[in-house]
Every structure is written in C-alpha cells, then in structure tokens.
Amino acid sequence: MANLYVLVASLAVTVLAAVALALAISGRRYANRLSAVTTQLRLVLERSQEGVLIFHPDGRIALMNPKAEEVLGVPRGSSYADVQQIYECFEPGGVIIPPEQWPTARALRRDFVQDHHILFRHKRTGQIGSRRITSAPGYAPDGSLQFILVIYSDDSDRRHLDEARSRLADIVDSCHDAIIGTDLDGIVTSWNRSAETIFGHTAQQMIGQSIRRLLPDDKTGEEDDILARIVRGETVANLDSVRLHREGRLIPVSLTISPIRDARGQILGASKISRDITHTRDLERRLQRSQKMEALGQLTGGIAHDFNNLLGIIIGSLEVLEAHLAPDAAALHHTRPALQAALRGADLVGRLLTFSSTEQLKPQPTLLQSLIPQMMDMAQRALGPQIAVSTDLDAFLQPVLVDPSGLETSLLNLIVNARDAMPTGGTLRIATSAVRHTSLPELASATRAGDSYACITLTDTGSGMNQETLEHAFEPFFTTKPRGKGTGLGLAMVYGFVSQSRGTVRIASTPGRGTAVSLYLPLATEDAARRLSPSAAQARSVAHATLLLVDDEPDLLDLSAGYLSRLGYQILTAQNGRAALDHLAQHPPVDMLVTDILMPGDIDGIELARQVAVLYPGVPVLYTSGHLAGPLHQQTVHLDPTRILQKPYRLTELATMIQAALTRAAEARLR
C-alpha cells in the first residue's frame, strides 16, 4: 500500500500542478502533458483493487476509482459529509470512533495516518466490513493544503465472515421462539423460521409489512404502547398476550421486546421474542382442573358416605324384591326401571368422586426413565429459558406401580412450585434412584417392611422455606404465595396421590438455598402384581362360614345379612365397632369380619380390624365404604384393593368378594 500511496500521490500532485500550469499558460504542450499524465493515473486507479479517493480541502470528492465507488456506495460528486451520514467507524475492539477522529478528518488537519485497521458499519443495512486505511494531506508548492488522499483495502476474510453470519442465522432460525425485528414504526425487518411455524406467515410475506397484522382487533393499541416504551429505551418483559395465526386462530404468546441500539446507543428498532405458550396454558389448565377436583372432592365427600348407604339399601332391596317377584312379569316391569335408576345414581356419585383426590387410581407398571423425559418436554415451556433443567435418571430402575396420569400431575405441581420459587431464574434437578425400606427407618410407619421403592427427587435453587412453613407445607389451602397466585392445594394433592400409591413424600428446604422434594413409590414387583389381580381360586365356594357384619346403617345391615344367610352363611351383626367386639367375646371366633370403615363412636372399621387381628389372628377382613376422607383415607391407602368394597354395591358383588377372601384365607392356612 505504501508504494501505491507514493505513486498515486505523485501522480495527483503532477496532475493538479499540470492543471494549474495549463490554466495559467494555456499552451498546447502543457495540455498534451496533462492528458498523458491523466490517462496514466486513470489506468492505475481503474485497475487497482484498492479503493482510492481524493478530496478537495473543503471535503468534496475530487476523484474516486471504481473500487471505492463499489464499496462505499456513494455517487460521484459526493462529499466527506455524505460518507459520515452513511457509515459508522469502530476500532477492532468495538469502541466507536467519532467522525472528527476518522483518518480522513485527521488528514484534513494535516495528520498522516498509515494502515489504520477500522471496522465500518452501514447504518441502513447493518452490514459490517473491515478496512485498512491510509490517509495523507497533499500540499501545493507554496505549502498550502491542496488535496487529501485516502487509500483503503478490504482485509475482511469474507469466507469466515460469511460462515459466522451463517452460524448466527442458523442459531436464530433453530430457536423454538419466534425472533422478529422491527423498525420504530413496527415494520418487520427480520423473521426467523420459528416465526413462520408459530404464526403461519413466511418471511417473504412479513418482511416489509407491519407487525400489526398479527394483532387481533382488541389488541390494536398494544403495539403502540410497546413501541412507545421501546423509544423510551425500556424493555417489555414476559408480556402475556395473544396473536393471530395466518388461519385466523388466536395463539397465546409471551412477549419480550427489547430496543435495538447502534454502537452510539441510538435506538434503531425493536427485537421481539414471541414464545408460544399454548402448552403452558394447557399445563396451567390441568393444574387448575386438579385443584378444582380437590375442592369438589371435599364438597361432595361429606355427603357421599350417607348417600351411598341410602343407594345401597335401595339397590339391595330392589334386588331382593326382584327375586320374590320373578314370576310376576308386570311387577318386574316396575322394579327394573327403579333398580336401573338407583344404579345410575350410584354411577353419578362415582363420577362426582373422580374430581377429588381420593378418586380410584389405576396403578400399572410405569418406567420413570420414559415418563419423566416426556413430562419434561411438556413442562419445559412452563419453566422458561431462565431456569436450567438437569436430570440424573437411573436407566436400570425397575418399573414403579403407579397411576401414570396421577404421577404426571404430581410432578407438574412440583415443577410449577419450583418455577414460582425461582422468579429470576435458577436450576431444577430431577433424579431417580432405588431405595430399600431398611435405609428409611424414619418412614417405617408409612411403608411396608422389606419393600423396595423408587425415589424421585426434585431439587430447585429457589427461595426455600423456613421450618414453620415446612410444618404446614402439605396442608390443604396453606400457601405462602401472594393472593391470587396459589391455592395451597398443589403439595396437598401430591401428598394424597403418593399416599394412595402406597408411598410417601419427604421435603427438605433452607431459606435462600432451595427446596428438595422426594417421592417414594413402590416398585412393581411380581408379588405386587399378584396382589392386584384376583386368583383363579377365588371362584371356589366356601360354605357354612360364620360372618360378622358391622355397619351403622341398620337397613343395609339387615338387607345384607338376609341375602348372605340365604347363601348358607352363618351371620352375626353389629352396628358399631364396640358392639362387634362384644359379639366376638360372647361367641366362638368367626371365619370373617365384614365391616364398614366410617362409623360413629371411638372404634371405626380400621381400628376394629386391628383389634380383631390381635385377639383373633388369621381372621380375614373385608372393608366397605361409601367415601374415604381425611385421616381414615390415609390409613386405608396401604390396604389391598381386593379387600375394599365401595358402596353402593350389588349384593352379588358382596357375596363374590366374601367368597374370594375366604378362599384366600383357606389357601394360606394350607401353605
């Protein structure tokens, strides 16, 4: 470049001197000399791969070769001021160079600048280039400033620059969120692939169009408010709103809009990140639905027990009546609709109870290493990018015996709690492992001795809880969240589900250091599967057995006793737990106890069965219940499902379960 500078400078001086001399003398000889020198200079400049500019002392461009015109993009006849309006200059480290410090401006002040590395940014397109600049003043024989010579070369590695731009474009395009750029009038200037996927418009359809195309009628003023805040330099974060898909449907989105600034801090436009929160809203609806289930379960559970007792009497009485009226077709014509109506009533109560946390679960062998990743894919949007998620799942863990849907809902509750505890971001870790009962002595009252369990632990780095809060964490309606932000049912439902699943929950937390919640769920062993499936031997009959029936509803008690007596059983009855114990003290040991769980007095069905097991070991027990709630429910979650008969029941169901229980007891004695 130095040689080029010397050559161009010499030629420029020669040309300008010749011009002055020709004007003064106006001789043919000098005119010919000027023409020859000018031709030589033009050939050098046109063939040069360096950009060459000559400025008059007043800043006007006196000469510009094709390379300079191509790269600068300014027309002939422009001035140094025009170049300043088009470009910004930066040092390689990114520090902006004020116009008065540009090499050309320094040359105008008679400074010589050689091989100065400068970054150029086109203000309109944002295109960035790298140049090496040499600028120098040119003097007349009398020492006055006659011209400014500027020579620059493009030393950008275009291949690497293109690769970097391509990588950046790939990153933007591969993002799951819509990334959109607009100017300060809301005109779209950039549109990534996810924007096409979420909103249905291609980049060609949106670039150059107003972003307001995406706004429904009731949100038309929202964009004006957003742009006004952007102009003031504000950032709009986590704004929940809705936008229109090209097909006309509404899409719930979470918006984060930030100002786009140039190197001098001037705001040029807005960068918009739009996240489709359809799945998040679905998760929130699921959570709200589960909370409503809990509330409705508490509301209906209070009357379910008595109502099911009444339905049991009606259904049983109609069954007995049908047996007596079998020859009378006309009478049966009236009793059968009544029986069907009673059965529909029982089904209605069952449907209402499915909204509560004590609904009948459907446990099945479930692989946590499959369920949890699927759950996290769904929950990731709810967590947001500010929360990092890591998993440590035991790939060889045996399946757990659990209701998969209930487990997903429980994990969702815990994930949402963790998110709310980390409003500014953090880390959520989910790990699984196998544990033995012997390693959990503090859980002896909540687990079966010898059983194996899977442990799912969710650990967050959130705000944590103090000891007082921990003591109430699982209580329904207890919450530390602001009004309207939580119902206090999340952890209570998790506790209820895990307890119903024959597991338990542990929670540990420290203020400011986060919370860890561990769910212990039983592994699906072969023995557990057998406990859930009645054996074929249940079909065999057991005759002449003596049964003790206990129920506080006398009509239902008489109805059941009469039916079972006709089947050949010897029947004793009692209307409460204490009366049942008195019967047992006065009579020989019975072959089986059939007891309602919820009864008045100080001895309920669970306590009665416990005392019978102590006084008369080996007596099988069948429990009946219209609805389980509160402490009684927690006591029964560990019971074998084949030993609980839900009211209202058909008399034939009662007889079948009694026969199966007696058969199992007989088989156990033979072993």
Side-chain angles (χ1 to χ4, degrees):
M1 182 181 287
N3 292 335
L4 179 61
Y5 163 72
V6 173
L7 174 61
V8 173
S10 299
L11 290 173
V13 171
T14 302
V15 170
L16 294 173
V19 169
L21 186 60
L23 292 174
I25 302 177
S26 301
R28 180 179 298 275
R29 181 166 54 88
Y30 294 101
N32 290 339
R33 181 182 174 188
L34 173 63
S35 176
V37 173
T38 302
T39 299
Q40 182 181 5
L41 176 60
R42 182 180 299 112
L43 289 174
V44 171
L45 296 182
E46 287 180 351
R47 295 174 182 176
S48 174
Q49 294 302 306
E50 315 291 318
V52 180
L53 287 148
I54 296 178
F55 292 90
H56 289 293
D58 61 2
R60 290 179 296 108
I61 296 177
L63 183 147
M64 178 169 57
N65 74 338
K67 186 66 175 179
E69 185 175 4
E70 171 193 338
V71 176
L72 282 181
V74 296
R76 296 179 184 274
S78 300
S79 67
Y80 176 63
D82 296 327
V83 177
Q84 287 181 308
Q85 294 298 318
I86 297 174
Y87 287 96
E88 293 176 314
C89 291
F90 303 86
E91 296 290 355
V95 178
I96 191 168
I97 303 175
E100 62 268 22
Q101 294 299 322
W102 288 14
T104 304
R106 291 172 59 185
L108 287 170
R109 297 197 301 270
R110 304 193 177 204
D111 288 342
F112 177 83
V113 179
Q114 183 174 6
D115 288 338
H116 190 176
H117 188 187
I118 288 178
L119 300 177
F120 285 77
R121 179 181 178 275
H122 197 289
K123 292 182 180 179
R124 182 176 60 83
T125 65
Q127 184 177 4
I128 297 176
S130 177
R131 308 283 188 268
R132 282 186 294 117
I133 307 293
T134 295
S135 64
Y139 300 101
D142 62 357
S144 63
L145 183 64
Q146 197 167 11
F147 64 90
I148 302 298
L149 175 64
V150 179
I151 302 174
Y152 62 84
S153 61
D154 184 355
D155 65 346
S156 300
D157 187 335
R158 294 188 177 275
R159 179 175 61 84
H160 291 162
L161 186 59
D162 289 343
E163 289 178 355
R165 289 172 177 166
S166 177
R167 284 195 299 271
L168 178 59
D170 289 341
I171 291 171
V172 172
D173 272 344
S174 62
C175 179
H176 291 297
D177 297 329
I179 300 178
I180 304 167
T182 71
D183 62 17
L184 293 179
D185 293 322
I187 303 302
V188 177
T189 57
S190 62
W191 186 266
N192 73 337
R193 277 201 298 261
S194 289
E196 295 185 7
T197 302
I198 293 172
F199 300 114
H201 300 280
T202 65
Q204 291 77 10
Q205 292 169 335
M206 285 303 298
I207 292 178
Q209 301 297 316
S210 175
I211 193 67
R212 292 173 176 83
R213 289 182 61 181
L214 302 180
L215 272 68
D217 292 340
D218 60 343
K219 298 290 184 181
T220 52
E222 187 174 83
E223 185 65 19
D224 296 330
D225 295 338
I226 290 173
L227 290 177
R229 293 179 63 180
I230 293 298
V231 170
R232 294 196 299 268
E234 300 177 13
T235 294
V236 181
N238 301 321
L239 172 64
D240 287 350
S241 188
V242 292
R243 291 295 182 263
L244 282 173
H245 190 273
R246 185 171 62 88
E247 297 174 352
R249 68 176 184 272
L250 292 177
I251 305 170
V253 294
S254 178
L255 303 173
T256 297
I257 306 102
S258 306
I260 298 176
R261 301 176 185 269
D262 61 18
R264 291 178 296 178
Q266 292 182 336
I267 298 173
L268 304 177
S271 171
K272 303 190 175 190
I273 300 176
S274 298
R275 171 166 299 154
D276 184 350
I277 57 174
T278 301
H279 294 295
T280 302
R281 291 289 174 84
D282 288 342
L283 292 176
E284 291 173 350
R285 281 193 290 269
R286 285 183 59 187
L287 179 58
Q288 292 171 358
R289 183 168 60 247
S290 65
Q291 292 169 343
K292 289 179 181 178
M293 288 166 56
E294 175 71 14
L296 186 55
Q298 292 183 353
L299 179 64
T300 59
I303 64 171
H305 179 269
D306 290 340
F307 193 65
N308 278 332
N309 275 339
L310 296 175
L311 284 174
I313 295 170
I314 295 171
I315 291 171
S317 297
L318 288 172
E319 286 183 316
V320 172
L321 187 59
E322 278 194 341
H324 287 295
L325 297 176
D328 191 342
L332 289 176
H333 178 72
H334 295 287
T335 59
R336 285 174 180 169
L339 179 59
Q340 292 301 316
L343 292 173
R344 286 197 299 271
D347 181 66
L348 177 60
V349 174
R351 289 177 184 273
L352 289 174
L353 290 178
T354 61
F355 286 95
S356 73
S357 61
T358 56
E359 64 178 307
Q360 186 67 35
L361 298 179
K362 298 179 180 178
Q364 62 188 60
T366 302
L367 283 172
L368 296 180
Q369 50 269 50
S370 297
L371 182 143
I372 291 177
Q374 294 172 2
M375 180 66 190
M376 291 311 301
D377 288 342
M378 180 176 59
Q380 186 65 55
R381 293 183 182 273
L383 289 169
Q386 72 276 16
I387 296 178
V389 179
S390 65
T391 57
D392 183 11
L393 307 181
D394 184 349
F396 302 100
L397 190 63
Q398 291 179 243
V400 294
L401 190 63
V402 72
D403 185 316
S405 177
L407 179 57
E408 287 183 353
T409 301
S410 296
L411 292 176
L412 171 63
N413 284 334
L414 296 176
I415 289 169
V416 170
N417 280 352
R419 180 201 64 187
D420 293 343
M422 299 183 287
T424 60
T427 301
L428 173 65
R429 181 176 181 270
I430 303 177
T432 61
S433 61
V435 295
R436 295 284 298 178
H437 176 274
T438 52
S439 66
L440 303 167
E442 70 275 26
L443 302 179
S445 62
T447 57
R448 294 175 183 267
D451 280 357
S452 295
Y453 292 83
C455 177
I456 309 172
T457 300
L458 292 86
T459 307
D460 65 61
T461 57
S463 54
M465 293 180 278
N466 57 30
Q467 187 60 38
E468 181 181 358
T469 302
L470 278 175
E471 291 175 357
H472 299 282
F474 293 118
E475 293 179 6
F477 301 108
F478 177 81
T479 180
T480 58
K481 297 178 182 178
R483 183 179 179 86
K485 296 295 185 180
T487 62
L489 293 174
L491 284 176
M493 293 181 64
V494 172
Y495 183 83
F497 166 76
V498 176
S499 297
Q500 277 187 274
S501 302
R502 302 177 184 170
T504 192
V505 187
R506 295 173 65 191
I507 184 168
S509 186
T510 303
R513 300 184 62 181
T515 300
V517 181
S518 297
L519 313 183
Y520 294 88
L521 299 168
L523 296 178
T525 62
E526 293 182 3
D527 181 60
R530 283 196 299 269
R531 288 199 300 268
L532 288 176
S533 302
S535 67
Q538 290 179 359
R540 297 200 299 269
S541 63
V542 178
H544 308 299
T546 299
L547 311 179
L548 174 57
L549 306 184
V550 188
D551 201 302
D552 63 317
E553 185 59 54
D555 291 336
L556 182 60
L557 187 63
D558 292 344
L559 189 67
S560 301
Y563 180 79
L564 294 173
S565 294
R566 288 192 294 274
L567 294 180
Y569 293 107
Q570 304 299 314
I571 305 299
L572 300 175
T573 62
Q575 294 188 16
N576 56 64
R578 191 160 296 281
L581 291 175
D582 291 341
H583 269 299
L584 290 172
Q586 298 170 11
H587 296 82
V590 297
D591 296 299
M592 185 172 181
L593 170 65
V594 181
T595 179
D596 189 14
I597 292 178
L598 185 60
M599 294 185 296
D602 57 345
I603 300 179
D604 56 44
I606 301 296
E607 176 60 21
L608 174 61
R610 189 190 68 79
Q611 293 194 31
V612 169
V614 173
L615 297 172
Y616 311 100
V619 174
V621 180
L622 175 65
Y623 299 95
T624 65
S625 176
H627 176 63
L628 298 176
L632 280 179
H633 172 251
Q634 301 305 326
Q635 295 180 49
T636 59
V637 293
H638 306 296
L639 298 177
D640 190 332
T642 62
R643 296 171 59 192
I644 301 177
L645 178 60
Q646 294 291 336
K647 296 179 180 180
Y649 48 78
R650 304 288 295 268
L651 293 176
T652 52
E653 292 179 287
L654 175 64
T656 299
M657 293 196 71
I658 289 173
Q659 180 177 331
L662 289 171
T663 300
R664 286 198 300 271
E667 291 176 342
R669 287 193 293 271
L670 290 175
R671 289 196 298 268

